[in-house]
Amino acid sequence: MSGTSGLSYESAGVNYDHLDAFKRACQAAAKTTVSSHAPHGYREPENIRGDSAFLLEGEHDYLAHVEEGLGTKNLVADAVLALTGKSFYANIGIDTVATIVNDLITCGGLPISVAMHAAVGAGEWFNDPRRGEELAKGFAAGCIEAGAVWGGGETPALKGIVNPETIVLAGSAIGRVFPKSHRIAGEVHEGNAIIFLASTGVQTNGLTLCRALADRLPEGYRTKMDDGRPYGEALLDASAIYVKFVAALQQAKLQPKYLAHVTGHGWRKLMRLPQNLVYRIDHVREPLPVFRFIAKAGRINASEMYGTFNMGVGFAAYVREDDADHCVAIAKTVGYDAWRAGVVLKQGDRKAVEIPSLGLIYEGDTLKLR
């Protein structure tokens, strides 16, 4: 391992400059369709495009919609199953729901219905009853955790597009913001506190890099980390679902200024809003064992790690300073590990995420989602 060059997300095959450029092109084209809202009695709120969830405003409520994909985590599950005989597909089902509903709740909407999209290269993928049944049970468990019904889905066989032995997992969700005052519109100001909620591990982002690292390890996914766990199994811990946190905030009448699902782009996601603000993180926890292992074995520097992975933070809430301690207490009451992590600053026209204890600064031009 010591003789390998350092890994990066781009060297592993993921270039966000290309992906984000396409997203921005889609947003521009999508804006030409907005006149279609009117016949249905809904309108599009201003500046909604580029957020994690799409909103439609009605007379008494907002409807929220999200489409999301799992990524490549199921390829790790396939590899571990082949190596050890252990199936983690129930966790994969939970992961798929989590990546969808954790985006949806950032607007203040609670999920009502979730759909699965499971595309395979050949119908024979479903001939493994154990794998298929575990995936279904996990997806249902994720929906129950999110307080949503599993409303349906699609299972196409896409020969020539998807590898015959592979499944591509994604899905969508519909949610509702009611009453309308529960909408979280991103009204962040200088002095607001930043609250972090812990992740369970890598969750659903950065897996392409994780797989590239496994290819470099002499024992691959069987490699033991410092805590004794096999690397592959650690990658497959199920993601946290943060719906109960948002529901608890609403019940307590604590209105956050903004919520961020920390996935792709790592901690750069903390500056997803268009405002020119600086997000300074003063309380950085020791990374989880899986992240320490990835950094050491892959010779990956801190800038790449925190700009790619969640590093133990799955969700962030921006709240008034006076609400910070209450927000942390609410999160803990409903079962989440939460802590006060930082503060929002105004520094002219600058936009950045700063992590002073690590000597890291991510300027605004490193995250171009709008």
Side-chain angles (χ1 to χ4, degrees), residues 15-44:
N15 186 323
Y16 274 125
D17 288 342
H18 299 158
L19 295 172
D20 293 342
F22 177 67
K23 292 177 184 178
R24 295 193 298 273
C26 288
Q27 289 167 18
K31 287 180 180 178
T32 67
T33 70
V34 295
S35 61
S36 300
H37 300 325
H40 303 287
Y42 285 89
R43 72 175 191 88
E44 182 177 317

Side-chain angles (χ1 to χ4, degrees), residues 27-28 47 53-54 67 70 102 110 121 125 135 163 171 191 218 241 248 268 270 341 360:
Q27 289 167 18
N47 301 319
F54 180 68
E67 169 87 12
L70 174 70
N102 287 343
L110 300 181
W125 191 94
L135 174 60
N163 292 333
I241 291 175
R268 289 177 290 163
L270 298 174
L360 296 179

Side-chain angles (χ1 to χ4, degrees), residues 163-204:
N163 292 333
E165 70 279 4
T166 303
I167 189 167
V168 179
L169 290 165
S172 62
I174 296 172
R176 187 184 187 213
V177 183
F178 181 81
K180 292 174 76 173
S181 59
H182 282 163
R183 181 193 168 190
I184 301 166
E187 297 172 347
V188 176
H189 302 287
E190 182 178 18
N192 287 163
I194 303 171
I195 308 301
F196 279 171
L197 276 67
S199 72
T200 57
V202 298
Q203 301 205 145
T204 58

Side-chain angles (χ1 to χ4, degrees), residues 63 104 110-114 146-151 173-176:
L63 294 181
L104 188 141
L110 300 181
I112 297 171
S113 174
V114 181
V149 63
W150 180 358
I174 296 172
R176 187 184 187 213

Side-chain angles (χ1 to χ4, degrees), residues 90 92-101 110-116 135-152 170-174 239 241 243-244:
I92 293 296
I94 294 170
D95 288 321
T96 307
V97 175
T99 196
I100 300 165
V101 299
L110 300 181
I112 297 171
S113 174
V114 181
M116 175 195 281
L135 174 60
K137 288 178 180 178
F139 199 91
C143 290
I144 292 169
E145 176 70 14
V149 63
W150 180 358
S172 62
I174 296 172
S239 302
I241 291 175
V243 175
K244 290 180 180 178

Side-chain angles (χ1 to χ4, degrees), residues 256-332:
K257 298 295 184 178
Y258 190 60
L259 298 174
H261 182 201
V262 184
T263 53
H265 303 85
W267 284 24
R268 289 177 290 163
K269 270 285 177 64
L270 298 174
M271 56 176 170
R272 183 166 193 155
L273 285 170
Q275 292 96 310
N276 290 324
L277 296 167
V278 174
Y279 305 89
R280 191 185 73 202
I281 306 304
D282 299 310
H283 186 170
V284 180
R285 287 185 169 180
E286 177 73 14
L288 298 171
V290 67
F291 295 119
R292 296 200 301 269
F293 177 83
I294 292 168
K296 182 179 179 181
R299 299 174 61 191
I300 305 172
N301 63 37
S303 180
E304 181 74 20
M305 289 295 296
Y306 282 84
T308 300
F309 295 102
N310 69 62
M311 298 304 289
V313 178
F315 209 71
Y318 305 73
V319 300
R320 295 188 315 119
E321 168 63 27
D322 291 346
D323 289 333
D325 291 342
H326 190 198
C327 181
V328 170
I330 289 169
K332 291 181 177 179

